[in-house]
Amino acid sequence: MNTDYKDVFGAAGPLARALPGYAYRPEQAAMAAAVGHALANTEPLIVEAGTGTGKTFAYLVPALLSGRSVIISTGTRTLQDQLFRRDVPMLAKALGLPVKVALLKGRANYLCRHRLELTMQQPSLLGGERGLARLLARISRWAATTQAGDLAELTDLPEQSSVWPMITSTRENCLGQECPQFNRCHVIDARRGAQAAEIVVVNHHLLLADLALKDEGFGDLLPGAQAVILDEAHQVPDIAAQFFGQVWSVRQVQILTRDVTAELAAAVVRSDAIIGELSIVEARLDDLRARFPGGAGRYEWPGLPEAFLDVLPELETALGDLAKELDGLGAGAGIANCAKRAKSLAASLGALGSVPEESGLKWVEAAASGLSLHFTPFEIADRLRAYVEARRCAWVFTSATLAIGDDFAHFAARIGLPEARTLHIDSPFDYPTQARIYLPRNMPEPQHPSFAAKFIEACAPMLEASGGSAFILYTSYRGLADGVAALKARFPNPPFPVLVQGQAPREALLNQFRELGNAVLLATGSFWEGVDVKGEALSIVAIDKLPFASPDDPLLKARLEGIRRRGGNPFSEYQLPQAVLALKQGVGRLIRDFDDFGVIVLGDPRLKTKSYGKVFLKALPPSPVITEASAGAEFLVERLSRSRAARGAGTAGESDVPGAPIGTMPASATSVT
Ligand code: SF4
């Protein structure tokens, strides 16, 4: 059936009839037509949809109309919840298409009844922690009443709590059909619900874990799907690299040793030989930690001391010996599962030690949760392509930042689909009218000691004109700290509230920012994307430097090395396009709606002094570039007074942008990033 998406999205269509405040956007209908074509022809498609396109509706409508079973994967939990709770039901109703929709999370989000029971039977495993015992008692009471077993229902369960591995399963430790709780299992229930649904909403971690048959995946999500739509797809290559590599962690071994003790107790078995092997494994873990040379951070393998590396084969032997003893016991499914895991942990440790250097980078991460050993392949494109080609379904990748100008080559190559059809949908916002890009004159080089102060000095006239209402975004923690000091020096008694990343959790800080209405937020990394502040509360987005990733990060090194080895140019093929996409993400925080306005301040002089500066400038929204602070300040004053006058005249909510549709789409279509 050929659907005319202009009719579906048009002023007389079902969406206009059913959704209050709906406005037709030709960009949205064009994207929907392309997605509908990809779905009907089982083809891959890559779409960059500028902010304001309303891309969630643009892929949900064809997905619903196709009548096919579709997996929708997102990068963030916020979007996942929005799709499941609001957008899909609202559109299904508007289109008159009853549809079964399921939200599926990774295993680690569901209670594992078997593991909770094991833990409750062995209070000694809690190490005498009274708080933990109380928490477990509370979880146990909740477990008796919960329907879905979704741990998000326990809203105050701390994310870092050591209780998580005691009450959730992994693919390795799940007993499957041999589990005594199989018939009441929440993980199995969630999976059945997903298999029976026409639309399944997941996140990229679960989707890629599933593809790669890794821990949190179920391994059977995809066979039934006829289309996979990945929103926030710019995150996919990095997440795929995690799942297509290997990870071995001290924590996995600790969980194993604790499970062995619990399973022995549950089976009422005492084995001195196994207790002996457990203590050898624990002693080798102690050696490993004691010989690790540094604090928290990422370390490349070749720089690690021999004394540390020497422990790895000893630990491999100890795990192998433990597996043999457990195997010999013949004491039920729980013990047999522990034997299998000990064998697999020994094998993966051995494999990590011997993996050929030319295929990827080995590195070690030290964190509060313990040491983990990693192998990251140099290239994941071929593997991703093989997975995509192995499944006959349509793959749609979309995001607001996938292309450099109209060029998708960088992203398409990273996901291994260089010949996929691509589509670039411009934002419907009127950037020439709504925003200015301010490139201050005479900025020092980014490494210069005066840079932080000069950058704040450049922002000051805008801050004074708007009375605050700014994001000042930094590319490093060092830059952030210098920026905070510089702002304090320039505004000893700031006429606006100042918020700094780290003062409170991210969401709390964002809520505070929205409520205050004129705050200045100084932040780094995590505020560059997935942040949506509409209206006057955000009138300035200032970015200190071009966001080139740190060359010291082992993961980045792995990618650059991979490109070098196949004769490519790491800067032009990877570092530059990645930095351009990151800058687009940061700049994209400013204009989120038709009546938003503001100034983008870019402090890095390399935009004008280096030849690659042009690549960045070309990728920015088509707003006039200004080099005088007074022009930016005047723009803000004028727009603020117009907006306040319009509000005073009781026309709030209507767009004052010539040519823009009156009214806006429902928040559901525009609040995504
Ligand atoms: S089947 Fe697996 S996830 Fe379910 S209760 Fe048993 S061990 Fe836990």
Side-chain angles (χ1 to χ4, degrees):
M1 183 185 70
N2 271 340
T3 306
D4 188 338
Y5 286 95
K6 281 197 197 115
D7 285 350
V8 179
F9 283 88
L15 304 187
R17 283 197 301 273
L19 305 177
Y22 175 83
Y24 171 63
R25 299 179 199 187
E27 299 85 359
Q28 194 174 38
M31 175 170 166
V35 174
H37 183 272
L39 262 50
N41 296 287
T42 319
E43 282 175 4
L45 172 70
I46 304 173
V47 189
E48 178 178 283
T51 319
T53 304
K55 69 175 153 41
T56 51
F57 281 24
Y59 60 72
L60 285 177
V61 168
L64 287 165
L65 290 174
S66 73
R68 299 184 168 211
S69 55
V70 181
I71 293 176
I72 298 176
S73 181
T74 74
T76 58
R77 196 176 288 177
T78 321
L79 181 54
Q80 204 183 3
D81 281 341
Q82 177 191 307
L83 290 171
F84 174 68
R85 293 184 206 293
R86 205 172 60 187
D87 293 357
V88 177
M90 180 163 69
L91 282 176
K93 198 168 158 211
L95 294 169
L97 292 169
V99 69
K100 264 197 203 140
V101 54
L103 175 70
L104 188 62
K105 302 179 180 180
R107 277 177 181 275
N109 294 280
Y110 299 99
L111 173 74
C112 167
R113 289 185 182 278
H114 172 65
R115 296 183 63 72
L116 174 65
E117 201 173 76
L118 265 187
T119 309
M120 296 300 285
Q121 284 168 358
Q122 276 294 298
S124 61
L125 291 176
L126 304 180
E129 271 189 64
R130 298 250 311 272
L132 209 51
R134 272 201 301 274
L135 184 59
L136 268 170
R138 207 154 58 76
I139 293 171
S140 190
R141 284 196 295 279
W142 164 79
T145 57
T146 178
Q147 295 287 317
D150 185 341
L151 289 156
E153 292 170 19
L154 292 167
T155 44
D156 53 350
L157 184 63
E159 263 179 43
Q160 299 306 326
S161 171
S162 52
V163 84
W164 283 92
M166 301 177 192
I167 57 168
T168 58
S169 66
T170 62
R171 240 168 56 86
E172 271 72 33
N173 66 26
C174 171
L175 303 185
Q177 295 197 1
E178 294 186 50
C179 175
Q181 302 281 356
F182 186 73
N183 291 330
R184 303 174 63 217
C185 173
H186 295 301
V187 173
I188 308 281
D189 277 354
R191 189 165 64 173
R192 279 202 195 110
Q195 280 166 344
E198 283 119 8
I199 304 263
V200 184
V201 182
V202 300
N203 64 27
H204 297 335
H205 278 91
L206 177 56
L207 181 75
L208 289 158
D210 216 72
L211 276 178
L213 292 178
K214 287 284 167 72
D215 257 17
E216 23 167 351
F218 299 105
D220 54 6
L221 250 186
L222 285 159
Q226 293 163 305
V228 183
I229 298 174
L230 299 100
D231 198 345
E232 299 172 325
H234 59 282
Q235 300 178 3
V236 168
D238 284 350
I239 300 174
Q242 278 173 38
F243 285 104
F244 295 159
Q246 290 176 38
V247 186
W248 182 99
S249 71
V250 165
R251 198 166 155 81
Q252 287 172 304
V253 183
Q254 286 168 327
I255 294 170
L256 170 70
T257 58
R258 207 175 45 217
D259 286 353
V260 171
T261 311
E263 293 286 3
L264 287 176
V268 204
V269 172
R270 186 181 159 81
S271 161
D272 290 338
I274 291 177
I275 292 169
E277 294 301 346
L278 281 177
S279 58
I280 296 174
V281 169
E282 274 155 13
R284 293 294 84 81
L285 285 184
D286 287 344
D287 290 345
L288 201 66
R289 280 186 294 247
R291 296 184 197 182
F292 191 69
R298 289 172 170 179
Y299 298 80
E300 277 184 70
W301 198 283
L304 295 169
E306 286 295 318
F308 172 82
L309 295 174
D310 286 348
V311 185
L312 300 181
E314 293 171 18
L315 190 49
E316 184 188 338
T317 308
L319 283 164
D321 292 346
L322 173 65
K324 272 185 221 143
E325 288 298 337
L326 289 167
D327 253 345
L329 213 56
I335 302 277
N337 176 274
C338 289
K340 206 167 91 193
R341 281 158 61 200
K343 222 180 281 171
S344 143
L345 281 168
S348 60
L349 189 56
L352 261 173
S354 57
V355 72
E357 276 186 17
E358 55 282 2
S359 58
L361 187 90
K362 289 194 287 186
W363 52 286
V364 176
E365 179 149 44
S369 55
L371 288 176
S372 50
L373 281 50
H374 301 252
F375 166 73
T376 303
F378 287 137
E379 301 276 4
I380 51 111
D382 288 347
R383 288 196 51 196
L384 202 49
R385 181 193 184 94
Y387 284 113
V388 166
E389 286 180 348
R391 284 153 186 96
R392 250 201 76 68
C393 63
W395 291 76
V396 177
F397 297 83
T398 185
S399 162
T401 46
L402 294 176
I404 315 293
D406 280 334
D407 183 1
F408 286 84
H410 172 64
F411 179 77
R414 285 195 78 197
I415 58 166
L417 298 173
E419 62 290 312
R421 214 156 72 85
T422 59
L423 177 68
H424 183 272
I425 304 266
D426 278 332
S427 165
F429 296 150
D430 184 0
Y431 283 102
T433 310
Q434 290 179 262
R436 297 288 179 269
I437 297 172
Y438 171 40
L439 305 182
R441 290 182 203 272
N442 304 323
M443 284 295 293
E445 285 301 308
Q447 304 77 20
H448 197 277
S450 68
F451 182 86
K454 291 271 191 208
F455 177 56
I456 289 294
E457 194 52 49
C459 297
M462 313 299 132
L463 296 173
E464 282 159 348
S466 67
S469 308
F471 271 6
I472 307 187
L473 299 175
Y474 290 89
T475 52
S476 68
Y477 286 99
R478 172 80 197 277
L480 173 62
D482 291 348
V484 172
L487 188 79
K488 229 181 209 164
R490 177 62 178 76
F491 294 100
N493 298 301
F496 37 72
V498 177
L499 303 174
V500 180
Q501 179 181 346
Q503 280 172 341
R506 183 175 178 272
E507 280 313 309
L509 214 52
L510 276 172
N511 286 337
Q512 224 180 326
F513 184 86
R514 287 189 187 101
E515 278 158 24
L516 285 164
N518 69 332
V520 173
L521 170 72
L522 293 94
T524 161
S526 63
F527 285 81
W528 283 63
E529 65 173 292
V531 175
D532 191 37
V533 180
K534 292 192 177 84
E536 283 170 31
L538 184 59
S539 303
I540 301 164
V541 168
I543 293 176
D544 72 332
K545 298 173 189 172
L546 296 176
F548 288 110
S550 159
D552 299 330
D553 179 25
L555 283 176
L556 177 63
K557 272 193 185 166
R559 280 178 204 127
L560 302 186
E561 187 54 31
I563 297 171
R564 223 171 272 129
R565 282 174 195 230
R566 61 167 166 70
N569 178 330
F571 181 76
S572 61
E573 280 183 43
Y574 189 88
Q575 286 167 293
L576 179 60
Q578 280 298 109
V580 172
L581 293 176
L583 186 71
K584 273 173 78 172
Q585 278 283 350
V587 165
R589 299 311 98 211
L590 183 67
I591 303 297
R592 310 297 299 171
D593 213 338
F594 287 100
D595 46 10
D596 276 359
F597 57 88
V599 175
I600 295 154
V601 186
L602 301 175
D604 197 322
R606 291 175 293 180
L607 281 164
K608 287 178 285 186
T609 58
K610 299 283 182 199
S611 56
Y612 58 70
K614 286 197 274 301
V615 184
F616 285 94
L617 291 174
K618 246 179 98 182
L620 293 178
S623 297
V625 172
I626 53 174
T627 52
E628 296 299 336
S630 56
E634 275 162 29
F635 174 78
L636 284 169
V637 169
E638 196 260 329
R639 290 301 306 235
L640 275 166
S641 70
R642 269 171 62 188
S643 150
R644 284 168 192 164
R647 261 210 315 273
T651 53
E654 290 190 355
S655 171
D656 54 356
V657 181
I662 300 296
T664 59
M665 285 286 288
S668 52
T670 56
S671 65
V672 295
T673 54

